[in-house]
Amino acid sequence: MRIIEVESYEKLSALAADIIGAQVLIKPDCVLGLATGSSPLGTYSNLVKRYEAGLLDFSRVRTVNLDEYCGLKGDDPQSYRYFMDTNLFNKVNVKKENTNLPDGSAGDMEAESERYEALVEALGWPDLQLLGIGQNGHIGFNEPEDTFPTKVHTVKLTESTIKANSRLFDKPEDVPTHAITMGIGAIMKAKRVLLIAGADKAEIVERAFRGPVTPQVPASILQLHRDATVIFSRA
Ligand code: F6R
């Protein structure tokens, strides 16, 4: 795996957008695996700028997001669908019907997990999967456990993840406690993986990518991926 250190979040975002943009240019109908959260905001705004400058065309791109909160409908401003629509999809020419997230408001979450797994497989797995990393080493919402969960599944979020997510909610009791997430299987089957991490993740980046591979630090599995790049910003 490659670990690229850059000196600022701006450089991280520009480089991540270079890599994603190159993927779209090389394969205009590529499948992009996407993430939400604070880390990719700069990457998405760079991609939007490049689209607006006429440098990128998303008209044939398909997207699959990693995860969604359970219990939230797509039009809820706290949902990941809403995040993706407002930060990327509504600002570029991707076709809405080609954008996919798990449905956190589905009545039967087991059936929804099976549907989403089958959908990602039918798309041929992501050509490029963008990831952030949680302070506890989670990728998607694959939280530290005794084994690596392979398929799409629902998870009870750990206290540390709920606490980290609470910054984006008005009241702590509004923070969802469960999420549906792609498993480690789909992430490992992505042809390329790009993980972005800011300086606040220095400690977990060290543990995940310079320590042992263990399901207690889920991101550590990326050490075994055939084409994984980590961009880490020192500031
Ligand atoms: C979000 C996701 C999560 C985040 C991680 C880091 O779709 O899958 O794993 O990437 O929690 O979040 P930020 O970037 O907000 O620190």
Side-chain angles (χ1 to χ4, degrees), residues 10-100:
E10 286 66 36
K11 292 228 160 119
L12 173 151
S13 301
L15 182 54
D18 283 346
I19 294 171
I20 297 170
Q23 176 66 68
V24 173
L25 289 172
I26 293 164
K27 188 177 176 194
D29 62 346
C30 64
V31 177
L32 294 181
L34 298 173
T36 59
S38 309
S39 307
L41 281 172
T43 305
Y44 293 155
S45 74
N46 268 273
L47 288 172
V48 170
K49 279 193 204 117
R50 288 163 204 215
Y51 164 72
E52 287 169 349
L55 300 172
L56 286 177
D57 173 14
F58 291 86
S59 60
R60 293 170 61 201
V61 167
R62 283 86 45 85
T63 69
V64 283
N65 261 79
L66 284 166
D67 41 21
E68 178 61 280
Y69 286 128
C70 290
L72 299 192
K73 290 215 167 77
D75 58 1
D76 187 313
Q78 302 288 3
S79 72
Y80 285 171
R81 159 56 77 181
Y82 191 90
F83 174 102
M84 290 308 302
D85 284 350
T86 50
N87 288 298
L88 184 65
F89 299 155
N90 292 348
K91 297 181 170 174
V92 298
N93 65 336
V94 68
K95 293 198 178 80
K96 212 41 108 48
E97 65 268 27
N98 286 342
T99 65
N100 301 283

Side-chain angles (χ1 to χ4, degrees), residues 117-199:
E117 180 78 25
L119 181 142
V120 182
E121 181 171 11
L123 287 171
W125 313 109
D127 288 294
L128 174 61
Q129 176 66 55
L130 178 67
L131 296 171
I133 182 169
Q135 294 289 359
N136 61 4
H138 72 215
I139 43 175
F141 276 133
N142 295 281
E143 299 278 44
E145 280 188 52
D146 294 338
T147 56
F148 290 106
T150 51
K151 296 202 164 179
V152 177
H153 60 288
T154 53
V155 280
K156 182 167 167 26
L157 301 175
T158 62
E159 283 308 316
S160 80
T161 299
I162 294 171
K163 196 165 159 237
N165 294 346
S166 68
R167 71 191 192 280
L168 304 168
F169 288 80
D170 292 338
K171 291 181 270 164
E173 60 269 28
D174 290 345
V175 188
T177 54
H178 290 74
I180 175 168
T181 181
M182 248 187 224
I184 297 289
I187 295 171
M188 290 303 280
K189 283 180 202 145
K191 292 171 194 80
R192 294 163 69 202
V193 168
L194 173 62
L195 185 143
I196 52 178

